[in-house]
Amino acid sequence: MTLRNPVVQRLHDLRTLGFGGAPIGNLYRQIDDATAAAAVAEAWEKGIRYFDTAPHYGLGLSERRLGEGLSDRPREDFLVSTKVGRLIRPADAPRDWDDEGFAVPGDLHRVRDYSASGVRQSIEESLTRLRLDRVDIVYIHDPDDYWQEALEGAVPELNRLRDEGVIGAWGAGMNQAEMLTRFVRDTDIDVVMQAGRYTLLEQGGRDELIPAAASRGVGVVNVGVFNSGILANADPRQQAKYNYEDAPREVLDKAEKLAALATAHGTSLPAAAVQFSLRDPAITNVTLGMRTAEQVERNVALAHAEVPEAFWAAAVADGLLAVDPRTYALSAGEHGTGDR
């Protein structure tokens, strides 16, 4: 698949998992600096060369830890993406702890800003935290309620920064497919980061977004493939979260049916969840959150797991998948699971 932006094409050609940096920003629970450093080091040892982060993740903690972990690596050997839309500022009324899901002190807070000046300021601050002189990809982060501001402020500024060489490519990252499709159709976007909308449990992201992106040479980074946790374990009841909340009964029922089918075919629910995205040639990269060295090792193993064709056939026949992954199979060495 040919992509119009050379940085996004390089990301496609890496054919490795991406390292999702939210967990090393203390998402949901604290880890220490040594644990975060070990996760980044293990990712490097396992061949991962794409690292994604954001100011939102731990109020800058993820960026600082990632910058430290990559500080002694050759800059030309890896790609880094971060995000804009949330500036990190001192809190007027400090709290003991952050109230947006990260186990960090609440002396800072996020200021939503999708303006041109806000975008430039955010990138400058991210470069300082990351200890880099450039960022490869910048995503507009969660602009769901800020479409007009993003369209009039962030988009033209990101185009300018790309032209200036401050960034290599820009995109948008969201938990919905509809607005991402608008970005693809209405702007000069290079890549989208789609969270949770193209998974074993739901395939709506392939209705319009993925075909639109493919027709325009726009990359698609697929994240949230575990749908907030329900697909992350062999038994979905072990972490029955879906879209960051307790999974509805019908969603849990579907996950349990997929888990039973996976077991019957000698594989596992999380392996199938990862392989579902990896085998689709329209997907540029699959990025998974990674907190510890052990989690990195597990994720890489999932990326190389064998999921029998019979599993996909049975899932389609049972009405558990609206998309047949067998139609996306590629020749060995092109873009299939063996290279990821």
Side-chain angles (χ1 to χ4, degrees):
M1 181 175 178
T2 301
L3 300 166
R4 66 188 189 192
N5 181 282
V7 173
V8 182
Q9 185 67 54
R10 182 184 169 198
L11 175 59
H12 171 280
D13 294 343
L14 284 175
R15 295 175 181 163
T16 65
L17 287 177
F19 180 100
I24 64 168
N26 286 4
L27 179 64
Y28 303 136
R29 62 183 177 87
Q30 288 181 302
I31 60 171
D32 57 26
D33 290 343
T35 299
V40 176
E42 182 67 14
W44 188 273
E45 290 303 312
K46 288 292 190 289
I48 292 174
R49 295 295 184 268
Y50 172 52
F51 300 84
D52 175 68
T53 183
H56 172 54
Y57 301 158
L59 296 168
L61 179 62
S62 174
E63 289 184 318
R64 290 194 297 273
R65 283 175 164 171
L66 184 60
E68 173 65 25
L70 295 174
S71 61
D72 60 347
R73 309 297 184 181
R75 181 63 184 92
E76 64 277 9
D77 288 356
F78 61 88
L79 298 174
V80 169
S81 60
T82 191
K83 305 179 180 74
V84 295
R86 292 173 171 91
L87 293 169
I88 307 304
R89 295 292 180 263
D92 295 331
R95 303 171 304 277
D96 289 338
W97 294 99
D98 176 53
D99 60 358
E100 293 198 32
F102 294 87
V104 295
D107 55 333
L108 302 172
H109 75 135
R110 302 159 183 85
V111 176
R112 290 294 190 109
D113 190 337
Y114 297 86
S115 68
S117 62
V119 163
R120 190 173 284 269
Q121 185 66 35
S122 182
I123 293 173
E124 289 174 357
E125 293 170 6
S126 288
L127 289 172
T128 298
R129 288 188 289 262
L130 287 164
R131 302 202 286 186
L132 298 175
D133 61 358
R134 70 183 189 280
V135 176
D136 299 291
I137 302 172
V138 172
Y139 297 101
I140 305 172
H141 202 183
D142 297 334
D144 305 69
D145 299 323
Y146 301 88
W147 166 257
Q148 203 62 36
E149 185 178 355
L151 192 65
E152 295 174 358
V155 169
E157 184 66 13
L158 289 168
N159 282 332
R160 282 192 292 270
L161 291 169
R162 183 183 57 196
D163 293 344
E164 293 171 6
V166 177
I167 64 176
W170 72 268
M174 306 180 71
N175 290 290
Q176 57 156 297
E178 294 78 12
M179 190 175 287
L180 289 178
T181 305
R182 292 179 69 185
F183 273 108
V184 170
R185 290 175 173 165
D186 298 345
T187 75
D188 192 28
I189 199 169
D190 300 306
V191 59
V192 296
M193 179 173 277
Q194 174 181 227
R197 303 286 74 85
Y198 186 50
T199 72
L200 277 183
L201 287 175
E202 54 179 289
Q203 293 90 54
R206 223 184 197 287
D207 293 342
E208 294 187 10
L209 174 60
I210 292 177
S215 70
R216 291 163 174 79
V218 173
V220 178
V221 175
N222 209 33
V223 301
V225 302
F226 297 135
N227 278 125
S228 300
I230 193 169
L231 301 177
N233 300 285
D235 180 356
R237 291 169 296 181
Q238 186 173 334
Q239 191 178 347
K241 295 292 184 182
Y242 173 76
N243 285 349
Y244 311 106
E245 298 178 350
D246 291 339
R249 182 69 251 177
E250 63 272 16
V251 172
L252 183 57
D253 287 345
K254 185 175 183 179
E256 289 180 325
K257 290 176 182 176
L258 285 163
L261 198 63
T263 300
H265 285 86
T267 186
S268 70
L269 185 64
V274 174
Q275 294 296 334
F276 178 76
S277 290
L278 285 178
R279 67 183 292 145
D280 189 334
I283 299 301
T284 305
N285 177 269
V286 176
T287 291
L288 303 178
M290 306 192 197
R291 187 186 307 273
T292 65
E294 292 75 20
Q295 195 170 62
V296 171
E297 185 175 7
R298 175 182 184 262
N299 286 341
V300 171
L302 292 175
H304 290 281
E306 293 291 337
V307 177
E309 294 295 292
F311 167 81
W312 305 116
V316 171
D318 292 350
L320 297 173
L321 284 177
V323 170
D324 189 344
R326 294 171 298 168
T327 65
Y328 306 138
L330 298 172
S331 60
E334 184 179 353
H335 192 81
T337 58
D339 293 309
R340 289 287 193 106

